[in-house]
Amino acid sequence: MTIKIGILGYGNLGKGVECAVKHNPDMELAAVFTRRDKESLNILTPGVKVCSVQEAESMKDEIDVMILCGGSATDLPVQTPEFAKCFNVVDSFDTHARIPEHFEAVDAAAKEGGHVGIISVGWDPGMFSLNRLYGNVVLPEGSDYTFWGRGVSQGHSDAIRRVEGVKDARQYTVPVEVALKAVRDGENPELTTRQKHTRECFVVAEEGADLKRIEEEIVTMPNYFADYDTTVRFISEEELMRDHKGIPHGGFVIRTGKTGWENEHSHVIEYSLKLDSNPEFTASVIVAYARAAYRLSKEGAAGCKTVFDIAPAYLSPLSGEELRKHLL
Ligand code: NDP
């Protein structure tokens, strides 16, 4: 019997989930739900149902796990608790500071409906969070470092697009090599925001726009760029489409620490990701957690969980026996 997956929201992540389901033979895509005109979506899976979000509740018996693919800013805080009443749900909520309140809202709704909700699944939060936790418990005497990039930050790209005279833009977050090296060498540096990452902006300006002013507005933008060394390069629309179409990302989680009676031995734990497609990788993590949500629900569990609460074996299609034989 396959696990029937619903996708709610068909943007980059929704499409990524569709691809990931294809690569997991124990799953099938039951339906895609959207708030837009359903005729306007270009769904890849032949014959799959495309429905409006309003139809979802009436289809609750056809879906084992609903994967919520909306944005973290305004979609998921509303949609995840709402749909957790009727479905097992997984989301990729990534506003770190608001995870505790999101957890509370989803927990109450999932318990009310008797379902499992797994929130903040992906790579950060997600796989990076797990690696931070493993690093901390293995090396309690130590320091944590997370570097992001080289990769596209959608939020920062959007912020540049809001500057007057900007037609389109792509922003890359780039880790500072010397800082990474110092951490890997066990120097335990204390790094400021500026010392850890730089920001590279590729900007298409509207014709006749004042480029000097645009650059100044970008590099001094509070919260986004003012605390970083930021470079701005103006390029043509064709160059943007040709060289900056993808959504790559990645980064490093590093824990350095000491062991021994006198702390005489040093250790470095490093987890690294180099992703060609941020949404496709995020989606691949999410579908593994959808499998866990399905299994936990079958066991009678209810309520909200994060990656910290899911035992690794629940993520795999292999049996315990197979896992012990091949992967232990
Ligand atoms: P998108 O902006 O591509 O899609 C978000 C939603 O926008 C869609 O679900 C869709 O819902 C709606 N939408 C409206 N108009 C359009 C349109 N013209 N084309 C496509 N979608 C449209 O966001 P992403 O999919 O890139 O990212 C979703 C979230 O994933 C991010 O907000 C981020 O929080 C999270 N994320 C988490 C990561 C992690 O590691 N935890 C990593 C990467 C992302 P509808 O179909 O209902 O209109």
Side-chain angles (χ1 to χ4, degrees), residues 191-316:
L191 298 166
T192 62
T193 304
R194 191 178 295 276
Q195 287 168 325
K196 282 175 73 180
H197 298 97
T198 55
R199 298 199 177 272
E200 290 177 10
C201 312
F202 294 86
V203 180
V204 180
E206 277 163 9
E207 224 178 286
D210 179 350
L211 304 188
K212 202 87 212 106
R213 184 211 22 99
I214 292 177
E215 179 171 352
E216 187 61 19
E217 268 192 49
I218 294 171
V219 300
T220 57
M221 197 185 292
N223 302 321
Y224 286 90
F225 296 103
D227 297 334
Y228 298 85
D229 288 337
T230 302
T231 52
V232 177
R233 265 192 59 201
F234 291 97
I235 59 172
S236 69
E237 208 161 5
E238 293 72 40
E239 281 175 289
L240 191 84
M241 288 315 288
R242 189 191 63 211
D243 304 332
H244 305 282
K245 215 169 51 201
I247 318 177
H249 221 316
F252 310 87
V253 169
I254 303 173
R255 175 82 179 168
T256 56
K258 306 258 187 207
T259 61
W261 194 250
E262 305 280 351
N263 274 351
E264 63 273 33
H265 296 122
S266 299
H267 308 273
V268 180
I269 306 172
E270 179 166 341
Y271 179 74
S272 138
L273 291 175
K274 193 164 182 295
L275 312 175
D276 242 9
S277 163
N278 178 359
E280 287 177 15
F281 182 82
T282 304
S284 303
V285 180
I286 288 177
V287 298
Y289 279 88
R291 182 178 292 117
Y294 172 75
R295 290 186 175 159
L296 285 164
S297 172
K298 284 272 173 242
E299 290 175 6
C304 189
K305 300 181 186 304
T306 71
V307 293
F308 294 153
D309 306 306
I310 310 294
Y314 280 78
L315 305 172
S316 172

Side-chain angles (χ1 to χ4, degrees), residues 143-201:
S143 308
D144 289 309
Y145 298 91
T146 302
F147 291 87
W148 294 277
R150 176 187 173 92
V152 173
S153 162
Q154 304 282 13
H156 287 77
S157 302
D158 286 344
I160 300 173
R161 282 187 209 107
R162 287 195 294 270
V163 173
E164 202 190 314
V166 170
K167 204 168 173 190
D168 205 348
R170 203 71 88 246
Q171 194 272 175
Y172 295 88
T173 308
V174 186
V176 174
E177 276 302 326
V178 286
L180 252 177
K181 185 173 179 323
V183 170
R184 285 176 174 146
D185 289 348
E187 289 172 20
N188 242 10
E190 285 207 12
L191 298 166
T192 62
T193 304
R194 191 178 295 276
Q195 287 168 325
K196 282 175 73 180
H197 298 97
T198 55
R199 298 199 177 272
E200 290 177 10
C201 312

Side-chain angles (χ1 to χ4, degrees), residues 8-14 33-36 69-72 75 92-94 120-125 154 278 282:
L8 196 135
Y10 197 68
N12 297 314
L13 192 60
F33 299 89
T34 183
R35 292 162 295 187
R36 284 167 289 157
C69 300
S72 289
D75 295 338
S92 69
F93 185 73
D94 70 355
S120 302
V121 178
W123 59 280
D124 197 0
Q154 304 282 13
N278 178 359
T282 304

Side-chain angles (χ1 to χ4, degrees), residues 41-147:
L41 302 194
N42 243 335
I43 307 283
L44 300 170
T45 314
V48 79
K49 279 186 197 159
V50 185
C51 310
S52 72
V53 284
Q54 288 79 12
E55 294 170 79
E57 202 176 330
S58 67
M59 293 170 63
K60 57 185 178 194
D61 296 335
E62 295 171 47
I63 286 159
D64 295 315
V65 184
M66 185 72 97
I67 299 182
L68 300 182
C69 300
S72 289
T74 53
D75 295 338
L76 299 177
V78 178
Q79 289 179 330
T80 312
E82 188 184 327
F83 285 88
K85 289 183 193 154
C86 300
F87 297 94
N88 297 314
V89 294
V90 182
D91 81 14
S92 69
F93 185 73
D94 70 355
T95 315
H96 289 257
R98 295 188 61 199
I99 289 175
E101 65 183 277
H102 188 54
F103 182 95
E104 293 302 328
V106 176
D107 194 46
K111 281 181 178 151
E112 186 188 320
H115 293 104
V116 172
I118 311 181
I119 62 160
S120 302
V121 178
W123 59 280
D124 197 0
M127 300 307 291
F128 272 17
S129 323
L130 285 175
N131 281 279
R132 283 188 285 261
L133 186 149
Y134 286 134
N136 272 261
V137 296
V138 174
L139 296 174
E141 298 274 320
S143 308
D144 289 309
Y145 298 91
T146 302
F147 291 87

